[in-house]
Amino acid sequence: MKSVCIFCGSANGNSTEYIDIAKQTGRLLADSNITLIYGGGRVGLMGAVADAALEHGGKVVGVMPRSLVEQEIAHDRLTELHVVDSMHQRKTLMAQLADGFITLPGGCGTMEELFEQWTWAQLGIHNKPCSLLNVAGYFDPLIDMIQKMTTSGFLRREYLEMLVIDISPAGILKQFKEYQPPKKKWQQ
């Protein structure tokens, strides 16, 4: 795995555990020689994961819409910053650049990014692993909802199981190495 896209909050959250896991993830990616692909921000967990990767000699590639760059929230020390015209272009480029996706705590935008890539994986648009880094039980309610989707007949078990869930970034990277995508949704 050469690159991993991180989806996470542009806020810090209300627990130091969130910042700590973002920093730990950035360090691990840098130490593993894995390029960090992310939304390009200098704020919140986004800034923390990027700063940690950069401080440990990692390569960090940001992708940000011009409107957000103009609001001066772009990180100014990245290895590379792609400025695009829209959020749709941002997500598409991040997906093209990444070999896998790790989701840290965040809000609506973070969840939307995760669900889009996970859906694309189900449809076979890509074969890249998607994950939840479940620090401090942050994603427990979401995991319960995903299990409810499965038991209610709206999500096949193999699509539940394709979502990598762990409490540590090292655990996620280990599972990424062993990841085997299921068959495309409509080819079963």
Side-chain angles (χ1 to χ4, degrees), residues 100-101 114-132 146 150 155-166 172 175-176 178-185 188:
F101 306 91
L114 162 70
F115 276 97
E116 181 173 70
Q117 293 309 317
W118 185 27
T119 300
W120 287 6
Q122 289 176 41
L123 295 173
I125 294 171
H126 67 70
N127 292 317
K128 302 170 185 179
C130 300
S131 70
L132 295 172
I146 293 167
T150 302
L155 180 69
R156 292 182 183 157
R157 174 131 322 263
E158 60 264 32
Y159 300 132
L160 164 67
E161 293 170 355
M162 76 187 294
L163 184 61
V164 174
I165 301 170
D166 207 295
I172 287 177
Q175 291 183 64
F176 277 10
E178 302 163 0
Y179 179 76
Q180 294 294 319
K183 291 181 182 177
K184 295 178 184 181
K185 186 171 186 173
Q188 297 191 13

Side-chain angles (χ1 to χ4, degrees), residues 23-57:
K23 291 177 180 178
Q24 183 181 349
T25 303
R27 278 191 306 269
L28 178 64
L29 293 176
D31 291 345
S32 302
N33 201 29
I34 297 173
T35 299
L36 165 62
I37 310 296
Y38 85 120
R42 62 174 170 76
V43 295
L45 298 188
M46 292 173 66
V49 72
D51 286 341
L54 290 166
E55 288 165 8
H56 287 84

Side-chain angles (χ1 to χ4, degrees), residues 3-102:
S3 61
V4 167
C5 182
I6 300 291
F7 300 136
C8 62
S10 60
N12 291 336
N14 59 9
S15 171
T16 58
E17 290 179 274
Y18 303 143
I19 289 287
D20 291 344
I21 202 70
K23 291 177 180 178
Q24 183 181 349
T25 303
R27 278 191 306 269
L28 178 64
L29 293 176
D31 291 345
S32 302
N33 201 29
I34 297 173
T35 299
L36 165 62
I37 310 296
Y38 85 120
R42 62 174 170 76
V43 295
L45 298 188
M46 292 173 66
V49 72
D51 286 341
L54 290 166
E55 288 165 8
H56 287 84
K59 182 177 178 185
V60 180
V61 177
V63 182
M64 184 174 277
R66 187 172 322 286
S67 62
L68 293 178
V69 172
E70 290 168 357
Q71 293 177 37
E72 299 181 354
I73 64 168
H75 200 296
D76 61 357
R77 295 184 296 117
L78 301 179
T79 310
E80 192 174 341
L81 177 64
H82 296 272
V83 179
V84 296
D85 292 325
S86 70
M87 292 296 281
H88 294 290
Q89 289 175 337
R90 174 196 224 180
K91 293 184 300 178
T92 300
L93 183 55
M94 288 192 307
Q96 290 170 350
L97 295 173
D99 296 323
F101 306 91
I102 299 177

